[in-house]
Amino acid sequence: MPSWSHVRDCGRAAACLGFLVLLLFFASPAMAVDDVTELNLKDLLKVEVTTAARQPEGLYDTAAAVFVITREDIRRSGATSLPELLRMVPGLQVARINNNVWAVTARGLNSRYANELLVLQDGRTLYNHLFSGVYWNAQDTILSDIDRIEVIRGAGAALWGANAVNGVINIITRPAAETQGTLLALTAGNEERFIAEARRGMKLGEGCYLRLYAKAFERDSGSLPGGMNDSDDWRVGRAGFRFDQTLAVTDTLTVQGDIYQGTAGETFRVGTITPPYTTSLTDDTEISGGNLLARWQRTYSAGSDLLLQTFYDRASNNDIGAGQKRQTYDIDLQHRFSLGNRQKIVWGLGYRHYHDRTKEGIIISFDPRKEDLDLWTAFFNDRITLIPDDLALIVGSQAEHNDFTGFEWQPTLRLLWTPRPFFSFWASISRSVRTPSRAETAIDLRQQIVPVASLPAPLNGLGGPAIAQYSLIGNPNFGAETAWSYEVGGRCQPRPDLYLELVLFHADYDGLRNVELAAPVNEGDRWLLPLVGNNRLDAKTWGVEASADWIVRPWWKLQSAYTYINVLPELDPGAIFTGFRDGADNNPHHQLSLRSKMDLGRNWEWDLWLRLVDNLPASGIDGYGALDTRLAWTPKSGWYLELIGQNLLDPQHPEYESDALNASVVEIDRSYMVRISRRF
């Protein structure tokens, strides 16, 4: 049963917030928008989603669970990093492992290397093929340059390919034409030691725009249980550009790129061959990389275009534990057109090449140390209007060939019903695949050392060396994980000032990652106990996601999101080790997000963000409540001053325990910061 005991401790804070809500409900606004009805309808009509169907769609024409983090959401969130923004999305679990590492996933199965979620930035994949998942401490930009973040919960593999099992996040930056002029911003606080941002946008000619930016920050360490500082401080410098040009009436070209370099600290426990057989190791991971992307688009009509995109991405991570250098080359072609009056078709082809080179460290090595991998993809998606303005059927599939599991098929079938304006209901069934990472096929990850005498029988009868060390060993025959996903959902605007969305989902996973103990190996000074990767874990998940936006007053908006999820993992008969099974259930059953945005008049804004997160049953992390606030003032045009507080309900709290590496449990501190920015 889920425990809300710790979350209840936040009840008083929630009650205070509720009292404040009631007080403000009856207050007279100092500044009002003339027509709230007109404002809200316009806002909803402007919401356009491109990730759910790889073509622009209105929110009510989308047959998927969609959440769009808008530019205003970003500006008023007080967030300083990409993962923090994702906390407002229903269905996502965003947990900070330490001050520079996050576990982020959708609809369960979270992990430090969450591998069922595909993340893109302007169409460039951020997925790490060596360990799967996303290295969030290497992903950043000036947040005000983001136009929106589209989050698709549920299977997206039919359009985006393998690893989009539980969702797709697409971070879409603003065109260079929308960021003209100069931005200078400086943030300082007790945790955010400093964030310095500079951006310059310029017009180079008719239809030709350029944006240049630079950003640097340093973040303090979190706290160990008891209040001592950990060593997870984090500093990165980054610079980049975006160039947009209209080549002709129908052709556009975008070229953009980024480079970055920094360090991210962490403390691990590593095994030793002498008692107590473990010691702490603190190290800074050196992170660096860059990318270059080019996109050409020809528009034939409002419903037809051709898009060609290619990118190169290079990333490096080095510390005492191991080192890795990764390169990705990608080219993608997409064409959309209408067939008659009832069919809208999108199809595409893609090729991706990975090259990696690893360096053996004290706990991790790969065999082979370097590898080249190819991925070929093709997709087709057809939206068929069955009854005009009422009923549509969407069918599609992705076919791909990868070097691990060969050919994979990922089909989807969706039905959309729009009985009247601002009301739509949809249902879907999809099959998706997660393909193996290099770690699952080739890693040797050394873990704890224990005396042989302490092992269970018959291992405690091993002769020879008196100690043994567990190690995760990759399996060259590691297979693909598959999932069948079932969803039904609806969204509506029953009143001009109220938007509601509800989604029910169920997924059936087969062949999830687990490990099996192979025969011990005598290495001279120790026994090696190989835990070999396998696919003998299944799971079923189901849950509910709900969100609501309510314009209480023309100057005050409330936004809420609630998630319930239940995960039932089950090992195949004969499988013994339960670690991955228990980890699969390391998700909060309940999550709640409540945001309040108020325009107080005289250029003042006040925002509150309350989050309640249930406990994590597998790791013993208690549920917690967090309250953020932001007070902003625009003294005159172009000047902005913000005071921001985060995690105000307690001095610090843990959110997640690293599951892949034996790292210290770090607690996230209460923080305060001030930000001043100037635009001209």
Side-chain angles (χ1 to χ4, degrees), residues 505-557:
F505 65 89
H506 168 66
D508 197 344
Y509 301 86
D510 182 63
L512 295 177
R513 177 176 56 198
N514 78 315
V515 293
E516 301 291 337
L517 180 64
V521 177
N522 189 336
E523 292 193 326
D525 63 343
R526 73 195 74 179
W527 285 99
L528 178 68
L529 304 178
L531 298 172
V532 180
N534 215 322
N535 297 91
R536 302 186 65 187
L537 176 64
D538 303 332
K540 298 181 187 299
T541 64
W542 62 84
V544 178
E545 298 159 351
S547 61
D549 289 8
W550 178 30
I551 297 183
V552 186
R553 288 288 187 269
W555 49 275
W556 182 22
K557 184 176 183 180

Side-chain angles (χ1 to χ4, degrees), residues 222-230 651-654 665-669:
S223 297
L224 297 171
M228 297 288 291
N229 265 357
D230 191 51
Q652 63 268 330
H653 62 260
V665 176
V666 178
E667 300 191 348
I668 309 305
D669 292 322

Side-chain angles (χ1 to χ4, degrees), residues 36-41 44 493-499 549 551:
V36 61
T37 303
E38 183 181 359
L39 172 66
N40 196 31
L41 285 171
L44 287 173
Q493 190 178 358
R495 298 183 342 207
D497 58 351
L498 182 64
Y499 170 79
D549 289 8
I551 297 183

